[in-house]
Amino acid sequence: MTEPKAWFHDAVFFELNIRAYRDSDGDGNGDFRGAITKLDHIKSLGVDCIWVQPMYPSPLRDDGYDIADYTGIHPDFGTLDDFKAFLDAAHARGLRVVIDVVMNHCSIDHPWFQAARADRNSPYRDYFVWSDTPDKYSESRIIFLDVEPSNWTYDEVAGQYFWHRFYSSQPDLNYDCPAVHDEMLRVLRFWLDLGIDGFRADAVPYLYEREGTNCENLPETHVFLKKVRRLLDEEYPGRVLIAEANQWPEDLLPYFGDGDEFHVCFHFPIMPRLYMALKRGDKMPIIDILSRTPPIPPGTQWMTFLRNHDELTLEMVTPEERQWMWEQYAPEPRMRLNLGIRRRLMPLLDNDRRRWLALNALFLSLPGTPILYYGDEIGMGDDIWLPDRHGCRTPMQWSADKNAGFSAAERTYLPVIDEPPYDYRTLNVAVQENDPDSILALTRFLLATRQAQPALRSGALEWVETDDAAVLAFQRTTEDGPPVLCLFNLSDSPRPGITPLTDVRDLLAREGRVYPAGQPIPLASFSAHWLVA
Ligand code: GLC
């Protein structure tokens, strides 16, 4: 069972794409040796834990979520020793490290699949899900519907169809096969023995298939996931297990079990509603989704984010809301991808610093453990013309030097952003280090201010009534520190805010502003306030 309060409750996470951060050997790909030289930068943001995206050997057809060897390091990113050096260097700075683990599927290049397809009698045949026809499990939705016509693909060599929930280069593993359980537990132990602090478990709802169901969230899946949790509890206490399950809050509840499954689940549905509220100037989407979020077992936690390496997913909204979000945030067809939007945070906000600050402060005021996505700490842009989700995965912009100071190579794994206003020559860490008003400085300020307030880190949330749809107010309270009143103007026009009963100080006003008791707080357009008595 989970401790009442463990380290991840109060932490801020940072999502790191090793390939994108810093190339130490000039091959055009970021690597662990390069990332080690940037750990001081990551630490300086005020984050506590790094989530390392897949770093395994892989043909990279799904950017590493297609694993060809579960216990190795992709040669472009370094060696296992480099990984260990990274882990040690992070730990030496007080940064924890969790890694992605993809249990649902591997790559067609994985030796298991190669052996399985070549020989029906191979012991590996049963590691995958086969059928003579593409008809089974027809109630299962297709996730990558832009490119995959079916969850079944015929394999000439195997002479049968194999099952895959994602790309056809990612065959699903068969969890009805006990050997797959053993393999996966062995993989988890391998990394835990190296000293990692936990896993972000990718795509966990889809482990089992059963006829007559949508093949998501099945009871058998939870039985296996509880087994994973037992392994952590019994052999590696203190490590964290995080679920990536893009589901409604009530469907996520079983992933916490009775506090005996995941410690943490991503809260997907809240994310699009933050953008929705900001665009509509209406707080209701936020209030609605938090009201729809059930209480979770003691010791467990939600995880929140504004952006990540994927498209901004619109799976957890109604079709009408999705259409509206596309019209508002993805006016050009190319900006749309699957059921989402392939844009980074700053371009989504039209490069408007007021919106950036309001949205980030709101996000950092909500219950849950926040995650920042690399590059968003300086407000990086995107390239919607790159394939798939790659437009949000371009090289980190360190300086105005060649390749943004990311790499000495002639060609980098993806081009750096070189068009205004997100051009690396003007938008980079070096420039922002010298500017007290930069996005980088504001990111540090917001995180430091949040982390200094126990109420914001882990307090209870109580709504505060306002009679203005655009003015969102709630209080976070805890026994460990003063209550913090969080107040936002989600609209593009100034509004009178609520009237405090005592003088209140605004933690977000860097000049240290105090609002007197008895007078309505004047709210500038798109503004955020963290008020303490
Ligand atoms: C998760 C990852 C995504 C990947 C998919 C399939 O949703 O976030 O990037 O494509 O799983 O592995």
Side-chain angles (χ1 to χ4, degrees), residues 121-196:
N121 298 316
S122 159
Y124 294 108
R125 186 78 169 195
D126 196 30
Y127 277 33
F128 300 91
V129 182
W130 302 98
S131 173
D132 291 329
T133 67
D135 307 326
K136 283 165 83 176
Y137 315 133
S138 57
E139 288 167 44
S140 193
R141 73 191 164 113
I142 296 168
I143 296 171
F144 288 158
L145 21 89
D146 279 16
V147 280
E148 294 297 343
S150 166
N151 287 324
W152 290 107
T153 290
Y154 188 73
D155 187 70
E156 292 287 348
V157 181
Q160 276 190 306
Y161 291 86
F162 66 90
W163 177 252
H164 55 89
R165 289 309 299 271
F166 294 91
Y167 286 125
S168 56
S169 56
Q170 293 166 306
D172 274 33
L173 287 160
N174 175 18
Y175 278 83
D176 279 321
C177 168
V180 167
H181 291 213
D182 297 342
E183 294 277 11
M184 213 37 80
L185 299 183
R186 186 180 59 77
V187 167
L188 301 180
R189 283 198 184 94
F190 175 86
W191 295 104
L192 291 162
D193 284 338
L194 287 183
I196 59 142

XYZ file of all heavy atoms in Angstrom, residues 121-196:
659
model
N 5.877 -23.015 -34.474
C 6.162 -23.827 -33.288
C 7.159 -23.164 -32.335
O 7.525 -23.742 -31.322
C 6.705 -25.194 -33.707
C 5.666 -25.943 -34.519
O 4.482 -25.950 -34.156
N 6.080 -26.533 -35.632
N 7.574 -21.971 -32.703
C 8.506 -21.263 -31.808
C 7.814 -20.971 -30.475
O 6.624 -20.637 -30.445
C 8.927 -19.948 -32.461
O 9.397 -19.053 -31.483
N 8.548 -21.066 -29.373
C 7.928 -20.695 -28.084
C 7.501 -19.228 -28.066
O 6.666 -18.825 -27.258
C 9.037 -20.951 -27.060
C 10.311 -21.105 -27.840
C 9.928 -21.535 -29.226
N 8.038 -18.432 -28.989
C 7.690 -17.005 -29.024
C 6.397 -16.731 -29.788
O 5.862 -15.633 -29.736
C 8.836 -16.186 -29.633
C 10.066 -16.226 -28.754
C 11.199 -16.955 -29.125
C 10.080 -15.564 -27.523
C 12.312 -17.014 -28.300
C 11.199 -15.617 -26.698
C 12.298 -16.341 -27.089
O 13.394 -16.402 -26.268
N 5.909 -17.748 -30.503
C 4.676 -17.519 -31.280
C 3.563 -17.016 -30.351
O 2.817 -16.092 -30.675
C 4.246 -18.824 -31.965
C 3.058 -18.662 -32.912
C 3.478 -18.061 -34.233
N 2.430 -18.120 -35.235
C 2.623 -17.927 -36.528
N 3.838 -17.655 -36.993
N 1.630 -17.981 -37.380
N 3.502 -17.625 -29.190
C 2.428 -17.311 -28.245
C 2.643 -15.962 -27.531
O 1.792 -15.518 -26.760
C 2.347 -18.453 -27.210
C 1.051 -18.432 -26.437
O 0.027 -17.992 -27.000
O 1.056 -18.825 -25.245
N 3.767 -15.314 -27.788
C 4.001 -13.985 -27.190
C 3.134 -12.923 -27.861
O 3.030 -11.799 -27.382
C 5.466 -13.564 -27.362
C 6.437 -14.116 -26.336
C 6.265 -15.369 -25.763
C 7.548 -13.375 -25.949
C 7.176 -15.864 -24.844
C 8.459 -13.855 -25.025
C 8.272 -15.099 -24.471
O 9.178 -15.572 -23.555
N 2.554 -13.266 -28.998
C 1.777 -12.286 -29.764
C 0.373 -12.814 -29.997
O 0.074 -13.963 -29.693
C 2.514 -11.956 -31.074
C 3.882 -11.384 -30.804
C 5.001 -12.209 -30.714
C 4.034 -10.029 -30.558
C 6.259 -11.680 -30.405
C 5.286 -9.492 -30.249
C 6.398 -10.327 -30.173
N -0.484 -11.963 -30.532
C -1.901 -12.302 -30.705
C -2.144 -12.519 -32.198
O -2.020 -11.580 -32.989
C -2.791 -11.161 -30.164
C -4.273 -11.522 -30.298
C -2.438 -10.843 -28.718
N -2.476 -13.748 -32.595
C -2.599 -14.108 -34.005
C -4.027 -14.499 -34.345
O -4.781 -14.933 -33.474
C -1.697 -15.304 -34.332
C -0.248 -15.072 -34.035
C 0.425 -15.464 -32.910
C 0.707 -14.396 -34.860
N 1.738 -15.080 -32.988
C 1.951 -14.425 -34.184
C 0.637 -13.773 -36.109
C 3.105 -13.852 -34.701
C 1.795 -13.212 -36.627
C 3.004 -13.255 -35.932
N -4.338 -14.376 -35.615
C -5.644 -14.848 -36.071
C -5.579 -15.135 -37.571
O -4.809 -14.500 -38.293
C -6.707 -13.780 -35.783
O -7.930 -14.166 -36.363
N -6.421 -16.085 -38.003
C -6.464 -16.382 -39.439
C -7.305 -15.362 -40.201
O -7.220 -15.273 -41.418
C -7.030 -17.788 -39.665
C -6.046 -18.858 -39.179
O -4.819 -18.595 -39.242
O -6.497 -19.921 -38.711
N -8.121 -14.639 -39.461
C -8.970 -13.628 -40.106
C -8.817 -12.302 -39.348
O -8.414 -12.304 -38.189
C -10.459 -14.025 -40.038
O -10.859 -13.984 -38.651
C -10.709 -15.414 -40.598
N -9.187 -11.200 -39.988
C -9.081 -9.906 -39.282
C -10.386 -9.525 -38.590
O -10.685 -8.349 -38.444
C -8.764 -8.937 -40.431
C -9.443 -9.536 -41.621
C -9.496 -11.025 -41.420
N -11.157 -10.514 -38.151
C -12.517 -10.226 -37.678
C -12.674 -10.150 -36.163
O -13.660 -9.604 -35.664
C -13.490 -11.297 -38.209
C -13.389 -11.437 -39.710
O -13.147 -10.399 -40.363
O -13.513 -12.568 -40.222
N -11.745 -10.742 -35.453
C -11.937 -10.786 -33.990
C -11.816 -9.397 -33.355
O -11.179 -8.514 -33.895
C -10.884 -11.710 -33.357
C -11.212 -13.191 -33.534
C -10.009 -14.058 -33.230
C -9.841 -14.340 -31.762
N -8.691 -15.271 -31.544
N -12.411 -9.272 -32.177
C -12.314 -8.039 -31.368
C -12.733 -6.800 -32.155
O -12.104 -5.749 -32.080
C -10.890 -7.861 -30.818
C -10.292 -9.114 -30.241
C -8.992 -9.511 -30.562
C -11.028 -9.926 -29.372
C -8.440 -10.661 -30.042
C -10.480 -11.087 -28.849
C -9.189 -11.452 -29.189
O -8.641 -12.595 -28.672
N -13.803 -6.939 -32.906
C -14.192 -5.850 -33.807
C -14.766 -4.642 -33.058
O -14.956 -3.578 -33.647
C -15.206 -6.363 -34.821
O -16.306 -6.884 -34.122
N -15.035 -4.799 -31.760
C -15.564 -3.647 -31.008
C -14.459 -2.730 -30.494
O -14.712 -1.751 -29.797
C -16.417 -4.133 -29.830
C -17.734 -4.720 -30.292
C -18.450 -5.484 -29.191
O -18.494 -4.975 -28.051
O -18.941 -6.590 -29.467
N -13.242 -3.067 -30.836
C -12.093 -2.301 -30.363
C -11.833 -1.131 -31.302
O -11.762 -1.309 -32.512
C -10.920 -3.273 -30.370
O -9.856 -2.793 -29.709
N -11.694 0.076 -30.763
C -11.481 1.243 -31.634
C -10.049 1.238 -32.183
O -9.154 0.598 -31.613
C -11.743 2.541 -30.866
C -10.667 2.873 -29.862
C -11.052 3.999 -28.914
N -10.135 3.976 -27.778
C -9.244 4.926 -27.503
N -9.164 5.992 -28.254
N -8.436 4.810 -26.462
N -9.849 1.984 -33.259
C -8.498 2.169 -33.799
C -7.958 3.480 -33.247
O -8.633 4.509 -33.300
C -8.539 2.200 -35.340
C -9.026 0.844 -35.858
C -7.166 2.538 -35.916
C -9.375 0.846 -37.326
N -6.763 3.453 -32.702
C -6.233 4.650 -32.032
C -5.559 5.591 -33.033
O -5.878 6.777 -33.077
C -5.292 4.246 -30.886
C -6.102 3.493 -29.813
C -4.622 5.484 -30.275
C -5.293 2.835 -28.727
N -4.668 5.081 -33.850
C -4.003 5.934 -34.847
C -4.830 5.919 -36.132
O -4.416 5.378 -37.154
C -2.577 5.454 -35.110
C -1.613 5.727 -33.980
C -0.438 4.998 -33.839
C -1.855 6.734 -33.057
C 0.461 5.256 -32.803
C -0.965 7.009 -32.014
C 0.203 6.266 -31.894
N -6.024 6.532 -36.074
C -6.915 6.334 -37.217
C -6.516 7.092 -38.466
O -7.048 6.838 -39.539
C -8.387 6.570 -36.879
C -8.878 7.357 -35.718
C -9.019 8.806 -36.108
C -10.228 6.777 -35.378
N -5.557 7.986 -38.368
C -5.064 8.651 -39.583
C -4.362 7.674 -40.518
O -4.346 7.860 -41.720
C -4.032 9.731 -39.219
C -4.706 11.007 -38.779
O -5.903 10.946 -38.478
O -4.027 12.045 -38.739
N -3.712 6.668 -39.907
C -2.839 5.818 -40.725
C -3.158 4.328 -40.670
O -2.746 3.580 -41.560
C -1.350 6.005 -40.334
C -0.783 7.250 -40.965
C -1.161 6.030 -38.834
N -3.849 3.875 -39.651
C -4.092 2.437 -39.520
C -5.548 2.111 -39.834
O -6.452 2.554 -39.123
C -3.740 1.955 -38.101
C -2.261 2.053 -37.756
C -1.371 1.179 -38.641
O -1.889 0.254 -39.304
O -0.154 1.436 -38.686
N -5.799 1.338 -40.880
C -7.176 0.989 -41.209
C -7.764 -0.083 -40.288
O -8.984 -0.257 -40.221
C -7.072 0.458 -42.644
C -5.652 0.044 -42.825
C -4.822 0.851 -41.866
N -6.909 -0.815 -39.575
C -7.386 -1.949 -38.777
C -6.409 -2.207 -37.638
O -5.247 -1.782 -37.689
C -7.459 -3.188 -39.680
O -7.590 -4.376 -38.921
N -6.886 -2.918 -36.613
C -5.976 -3.349 -35.548
C -5.309 -4.687 -35.896
O -4.547 -5.230 -35.096
C -6.729 -3.484 -34.215
C -7.087 -2.120 -33.629
O -6.329 -1.165 -33.750
N -8.251 -2.038 -32.997
N -5.645 -5.239 -37.046
C -5.036 -6.483 -37.515
C -4.184 -6.204 -38.738
O -4.606 -5.464 -39.634
C -6.118 -7.496 -37.924
C -6.922 -8.074 -36.800
C -8.220 -7.782 -36.499
C -6.485 -9.066 -35.872
N -8.628 -8.527 -35.420
C -7.589 -9.328 -35.006
C -5.289 -9.764 -35.657
C -7.517 -10.246 -33.961
C -5.219 -10.674 -34.620
C -6.322 -10.911 -33.785
N -3.009 -6.774 -38.808
C -2.198 -6.683 -40.026
C -1.739 -8.082 -40.414
O -1.310 -8.865 -39.552
C -0.986 -5.747 -39.806
O -1.479 -4.408 -39.696
C -0.003 -5.811 -40.984
N -1.863 -8.382 -41.713
C -1.446 -9.699 -42.194
C 0.069 -9.742 -42.319
O 0.680 -8.837 -42.892
C -2.095 -10.001 -43.547
C -1.850 -11.418 -43.990
C -2.510 -12.480 -43.371
C -0.943 -11.700 -45.013
C -2.273 -13.781 -43.756
C -0.698 -13.008 -45.405
C -1.369 -14.046 -44.768
O -1.129 -15.342 -45.143
N 0.673 -10.766 -41.762
C 2.119 -10.924 -41.884
C 2.410 -12.095 -42.820
O 2.068 -13.237 -42.518
C 2.749 -11.163 -40.501
C 4.266 -11.154 -40.594
O 4.822 -10.075 -40.823
O 4.883 -12.228 -40.462
N 3.021 -11.783 -43.960
C 3.299 -12.798 -44.995
C 4.120 -13.952 -44.439
O 3.846 -15.114 -44.694
C 4.091 -12.152 -46.148
C 3.326 -11.131 -46.971
C 2.287 -11.781 -47.881
O 2.310 -13.013 -48.056
O 1.423 -11.035 -48.396
N 5.142 -13.589 -43.653
C 6.036 -14.619 -43.139
C 5.291 -15.540 -42.180
O 5.401 -16.770 -42.249
C 7.261 -13.974 -42.439
C 8.220 -15.038 -41.928
C 7.953 -13.003 -43.383
N 4.497 -14.947 -41.324
C 3.776 -15.744 -40.325
C 2.596 -16.487 -40.946
O 2.149 -17.507 -40.427
C 3.276 -14.839 -39.208
N 2.061 -15.950 -42.036
C 0.870 -16.543 -42.636
C -0.386 -16.324 -41.798
O -1.372 -17.046 -41.915
N -0.358 -15.328 -40.931
C -1.528 -14.997 -40.113
C -1.573 -13.485 -39.867
O -0.588 -12.778 -40.124
C -1.431 -15.693 -38.742
C -1.923 -17.136 -38.729
C -2.014 -17.660 -37.298
O -1.035 -17.593 -36.554
N -3.174 -18.184 -36.927
N -2.706 -13.051 -39.363
C -2.831 -11.656 -38.941
C -2.311 -11.512 -37.510
O -2.515 -12.412 -36.694
C -4.292 -11.213 -38.953
C -4.891 -11.113 -40.332
C -5.457 -12.234 -40.956
C -4.910 -9.895 -41.003
C -6.016 -12.144 -42.214
C -5.476 -9.796 -42.267
C -6.030 -10.923 -42.870
O -6.580 -10.825 -44.116
N -1.651 -10.396 -37.208
C -1.300 -10.114 -35.804
C -2.021 -8.864 -35.325
O -2.358 -7.972 -36.108
C 0.222 -10.006 -35.595
C 0.863 -8.839 -36.290
C 0.979 -7.600 -35.651
C 1.362 -8.965 -37.575
C 1.567 -6.510 -36.286
C 1.955 -7.876 -38.221
C 2.055 -6.657 -37.579
N -2.233 -8.795 -34.037
C -3.024 -7.740 -33.389
C -2.125 -6.596 -32.947
O -1.049 -6.822 -32.390
C -3.724 -8.356 -32.178
C -4.544 -7.428 -31.333
C -4.238 -6.971 -30.087
C -5.826 -6.891 -31.649
N -5.255 -6.174 -29.612
C -6.237 -6.104 -30.557
C -6.675 -6.994 -32.770
C -7.455 -5.428 -30.534
C -7.888 -6.313 -32.744
C -8.266 -5.538 -31.641
N -2.557 -5.364 -33.208
C -1.806 -4.191 -32.733
C -2.763 -3.046 -32.476
O -3.568 -2.710 -33.334
C -0.744 -3.771 -33.761
C -1.310 -3.512 -35.131
N -1.775 -2.281 -35.510
C -1.513 -4.333 -36.192
C -2.229 -2.355 -36.759
N -2.097 -3.595 -37.192
N -2.672 -2.420 -31.291
C -3.535 -1.275 -30.998
C -2.968 0.015 -31.563
O -3.687 0.994 -31.719
C -3.751 -1.126 -29.480
C -4.614 -2.184 -28.853
C -5.937 -2.382 -29.564
N -6.811 -1.222 -29.602
C -7.711 -0.911 -28.681
N -7.867 -1.698 -27.624
N -8.479 0.154 -28.797
N -1.678 0.038 -31.834
C -1.070 1.274 -32.349
C -0.580 1.009 -33.780
O -1.297 0.376 -34.542
C 0.015 1.759 -31.385
C -0.563 2.186 -30.050
C -0.693 1.280 -28.996
C -1.018 3.478 -29.854
C -1.257 1.666 -27.783
C -1.591 3.869 -28.644
C -1.705 2.956 -27.612
N 0.627 1.450 -34.134
C 1.103 1.236 -35.497
C 1.246 -0.257 -35.798
O 1.519 -1.064 -34.911
C 2.462 1.911 -35.689
C 2.412 3.419 -35.785
C 3.178 4.211 -34.944
C 1.603 4.054 -36.729
C 3.145 5.596 -35.038
C 1.565 5.442 -36.820
C 2.334 6.199 -35.969
O 2.292 7.565 -36.059
N 1.145 -0.587 -37.076
C 1.306 -1.990 -37.477
C 2.765 -2.421 -37.335
O 3.082 -3.585 -37.507
C 0.820 -2.193 -38.908
O 1.508 -1.299 -39.755
N 3.644 -1.507 -36.997
C 5.026 -1.888 -36.680
C 5.178 -2.200 -35.188
O 6.286 -2.413 -34.720
C 5.979 -0.756 -37.069
O 5.593 0.451 -36.431
N 4.053 -2.217 -34.459
C 4.077 -2.436 -33.001
C 3.112 -3.555 -32.598
O 2.008 -3.290 -32.125
C 3.665 -1.147 -32.274
C 4.661 -0.016 -32.424
C 4.067 1.309 -31.991
O 3.013 1.708 -32.473
N 4.737 1.986 -31.081
N 3.525 -4.823 -32.787
C 2.626 -5.918 -32.418
C 2.362 -5.938 -30.909
O 3.281 -5.768 -30.111
C 3.403 -7.171 -32.844
C 4.837 -6.749 -32.913
C 4.832 -5.298 -33.265
N 1.103 -6.118 -30.532
C 0.766 -6.229 -29.102
C 1.319 -7.527 -28.537
O 1.261 -8.576 -29.196
C -0.757 -6.229 -28.909
C -1.317 -4.822 -28.826
O -0.763 -3.920 -29.488
O -2.315 -4.634 -28.098
N 1.796 -7.453 -27.316
C 2.204 -8.671 -26.623
C 0.962 -9.370 -26.076
O -0.049 -8.722 -25.774
C 3.192 -8.325 -25.503
C 4.573 -7.936 -26.046
C 5.362 -7.151 -25.007
C 5.351 -9.172 -26.486
N 1.051 -10.677 -25.960
C -0.100 -11.482 -25.548
C -0.021 -11.773 -24.050
O 0.725 -12.645 -23.619
C -0.092 -12.790 -26.343
C -1.195 -13.736 -25.888
O -2.160 -13.314 -25.236
N -1.037 -15.018 -26.217
N -0.828 -11.050 -23.279
C -0.768 -11.231 -21.818
C -1.515 -12.478 -21.345
O -1.490 -12.783 -20.148
C -1.203 -9.941 -21.098
C -0.026 -8.996 -21.039
C 0.284 -8.176 -22.129
C 0.839 -8.998 -19.954
C 1.405 -7.361 -22.115
C 1.962 -8.192 -19.931
C 2.239 -7.379 -21.006
O 3.358 -6.585 -20.988
N -2.123 -13.210 -22.259
C -2.641 -14.534 -21.886
C -1.518 -15.557 -21.824
O -1.744 -16.692 -21.403
C -3.713 -14.979 -22.885
C -5.053 -14.337 -22.577
O -5.387 -14.224 -21.377
O -5.749 -13.927 -23.523
N -0.346 -15.157 -22.260
C 0.806 -16.061 -22.254
C 1.642 -15.792 -20.992
O 2.199 -14.696 -20.844
C 1.631 -15.806 -23.515
S 3.234 -16.582 -23.504
N 1.715 -16.766 -20.083
C 2.429 -16.517 -18.815
C 3.886 -16.109 -19.015
O 4.419 -15.315 -18.233
C 2.349 -17.868 -18.080
C 1.238 -18.615 -18.739
C 1.136 -18.114 -20.146
N 4.505 -16.594 -20.075
C 5.915 -16.245 -20.295
C 6.083 -14.743 -20.525
O 7.116 -14.162 -20.178
C 6.467 -17.036 -21.482
N 5.051 -14.100 -21.105
C 5.129 -12.648 -21.320
C 5.169 -11.924 -19.970
O 5.926 -10.961 -19.785
C 3.957 -12.154 -22.207
C 3.840 -10.633 -22.190
C 4.137 -12.654 -23.636
N 4.381 -12.407 -19.017
C 4.426 -11.815 -17.671
C 5.841 -11.914 -17.119
O 6.396 -10.936 -16.608
C 3.491 -12.552 -16.708
C 2.043 -12.355 -17.002
N 1.093 -12.330 -16.007
C 1.369 -12.181 -18.162
C -0.099 -12.152 -16.544
N 0.043 -12.067 -17.852
N 6.404 -13.112 -17.222
C 7.745 -13.322 -16.658
C 8.765 -12.413 -17.324
O 9.606 -11.814 -16.659
C 8.173 -14.788 -16.817
C 7.245 -15.723 -16.030
O 6.537 -15.223 -15.132
O 7.218 -16.925 -16.346
N 8.674 -12.321 -18.646
C 9.612 -11.459 -19.377
C 9.496 -10.019 -18.878
O 10.491 -9.338 -18.637
C 9.302 -11.460 -20.880
C 9.507 -12.781 -21.585
C 10.957 -13.048 -21.995
O 11.864 -12.314 -21.552
O 11.151 -14.016 -22.768
N 8.248 -9.566 -18.755
C 8.054 -8.148 -18.413
C 8.519 -7.862 -16.989
O 9.151 -6.839 -16.726
C 6.573 -7.784 -18.603
C 6.331 -6.387 -19.049
S 7.508 -5.699 -20.223
C 6.975 -6.396 -21.776
N 8.259 -8.780 -16.074
C 8.713 -8.555 -14.698
C 10.244 -8.566 -14.641
O 10.859 -7.809 -13.885
C 8.114 -9.605 -13.756
C 6.580 -9.600 -13.672
C 6.094 -10.630 -12.647
C 6.012 -8.228 -13.323
N 10.837 -9.392 -15.479
C 12.301 -9.423 -15.554
C 12.837 -8.066 -16.058
O 13.804 -7.524 -15.526
C 12.711 -10.550 -16.519
C 14.197 -10.828 -16.613
C 14.484 -11.973 -17.597
N 13.999 -11.712 -18.959
C 14.606 -10.909 -19.839
N 15.720 -10.294 -19.513
N 14.091 -10.720 -21.039
N 12.166 -7.522 -17.058
C 12.558 -6.209 -17.598
C 12.467 -5.138 -16.505
O 13.380 -4.328 -16.302
C 11.644 -5.827 -18.791
C 11.802 -4.368 -19.160
C 11.918 -6.738 -19.984
N 11.354 -5.152 -15.767
C 11.165 -4.130 -14.728
C 12.267 -4.241 -13.671
O 12.855 -3.241 -13.255
C 9.782 -4.273 -14.080
C 8.585 -4.151 -15.035
C 7.278 -4.321 -14.271
C 8.580 -2.810 -15.776
N 12.545 -5.471 -13.262
C 13.605 -5.671 -12.253
C 14.956 -5.186 -12.762
O 15.738 -4.617 -12.011
C 13.725 -7.158 -11.894
C 12.650 -7.652 -10.963
C 13.063 -8.975 -10.314
N 11.979 -9.473 -9.489
C 11.053 -10.337 -9.911
N 11.088 -10.821 -11.149
N 10.093 -10.723 -9.100
N 15.217 -5.422 -14.037
C 16.496 -5.005 -14.616
C 16.733 -3.510 -14.379
O 17.787 -3.093 -13.890
C 16.503 -5.323 -16.121
C 17.725 -4.818 -16.839
C 18.890 -5.587 -16.877
C 17.726 -3.584 -17.467
C 20.029 -5.119 -17.528
C 18.862 -3.107 -18.122
C 20.011 -3.879 -18.153
N 15.737 -2.702 -14.684
C 15.904 -1.243 -14.554
C 15.841 -0.807 -13.096
O 16.584 0.097 -12.681
C 14.866 -0.505 -15.405
C 15.091 -0.763 -16.869
C 14.357 -1.601 -17.673
C 16.146 -0.254 -17.689
N 14.891 -1.623 -18.940
C 15.988 -0.800 -18.980
C 17.205 0.620 -17.464
C 16.851 -0.506 -20.037
C 18.072 0.922 -18.517
C 17.892 0.364 -19.781
N 14.971 -1.452 -12.330
C 14.886 -1.100 -10.908
C 16.207 -1.420 -10.206
O 16.674 -0.658 -9.359
C 13.713 -1.838 -10.249
C 12.331 -1.363 -10.714
C 11.248 -2.386 -10.377
C 11.990 0.003 -10.100
N 16.830 -2.530 -10.602
C 18.126 -2.880 -10.011
C 19.194 -1.834 -10.333
O 20.129 -1.637 -9.561
C 18.600 -4.257 -10.511
C 17.852 -5.397 -9.824
O 17.302 -5.164 -8.722
O 17.805 -6.511 -10.389
N 19.054 -1.175 -11.469
C 20.023 -0.125 -11.811
C 19.816 1.133 -10.965
O 20.668 2.017 -10.954
C 19.908 0.257 -13.290
C 20.440 -0.738 -14.320
C 20.301 -0.144 -15.721
C 21.904 -1.061 -14.052
N 18.647 1.210 -10.325
C 18.429 2.339 -9.414
C 17.463 3.401 -9.901
O 17.385 4.477 -9.303
N 16.709 3.112 -10.962
C 15.726 4.116 -11.395
C 14.632 4.261 -10.330
O 14.433 3.380 -9.493
C 15.079 3.752 -12.749
C 14.371 2.401 -12.652
C 16.094 3.749 -13.879
C 13.103 2.386 -13.432
